[in-house]
Each structure stands twice: as structure tokens, then as C-alpha cells.
Amino acid sequence: MWNIGDKVKWSSQAQGSEKEKRGTVHAVVPAGSYARRYLPEGLTQSQKKFDTNHAEYTRYIIAVPRGGKSPKVDYYCPRPNLLQADIGA
């Protein structure tokens, strides 16, 4: 179980390459709830990196800074079993 503010990391795969992502737990979404209501107001579509439909399990929305000069934050919702504590953060 993760709490808001916990630093986490996970690996994701896209187009044949694996990438590690690191971020902070932004929200805990209870099973059966729509995640959209847990996202910040004014979020652009490009910052939402997951399907907001309900799931039958508890989910965690993770805020991941884009890095570089961009002040934007992207929001992911990886499967809970992929999340690991980011000790070095």
C-alpha cells in the first residue's frame, strides 16, 4: 500500500524499449472509482498518460516531472504490482 507523497519508480515498455519512470504518489484511487476526479484542474490531455475509467482494484496516480526546462508534470497510473519504493529519491 502506498500513500500520497511516497516516492516510487517502475519500468515501462514502449516501442520495444524499456524505460524507468520515477515520481510521487499524487492520489490513491479506490477500486471502482473513476480516476478523473483525482487529477488536478486544468490538466492538458497530453499530461494524462492513462485511461481514467474505473478499475476493480485500488490504483495510484503518480506525478512524474517531465524534466529539462519543462515545468509540466505528467500523470501515470501503472499497475500497483509494478511500483517499487524509490529509496534514492
Side-chain angles (χ1 to χ4, degrees):
M1 169 102 180
W2 301 98
N3 297 305
I4 293 171
D6 286 350
K7 304 286 187 191
V8 295
K9 63 182 179 177
W10 74 99
S11 292
S12 67
Q13 194 170 5
Q15 298 178 351
S17 66
E18 192 169 303
K19 184 174 182 182
E20 186 172 77
K21 292 188 172 61
R22 297 171 180 263
T24 304
V25 176
H26 168 76
V28 178
V29 182
S33 295
Y34 289 94
R36 181 175 294 129
R37 64 183 250 188
Y38 295 90
L39 291 168
E41 293 276 328
L43 198 65
T44 65
Q45 195 66 20
S46 68
Q47 289 175 274
K48 185 185 71 161
K49 305 293 188 180
F50 66 98
D51 182 0
T52 59
N53 289 337
H54 73 277
E56 298 306 317
Y57 53 88
T58 299
R59 296 185 290 169
Y60 302 93
I61 298 176
I62 312 299
V64 178
R66 285 195 179 170
K69 294 182 178 182
S70 176
K72 289 190 174 184
V73 174
D74 292 325
Y75 293 86
Y76 293 84
C77 197
R79 291 207 169 266
N81 64 330
L82 297 177
L83 296 173
Q84 300 174 354
D86 191 2
I87 309 288

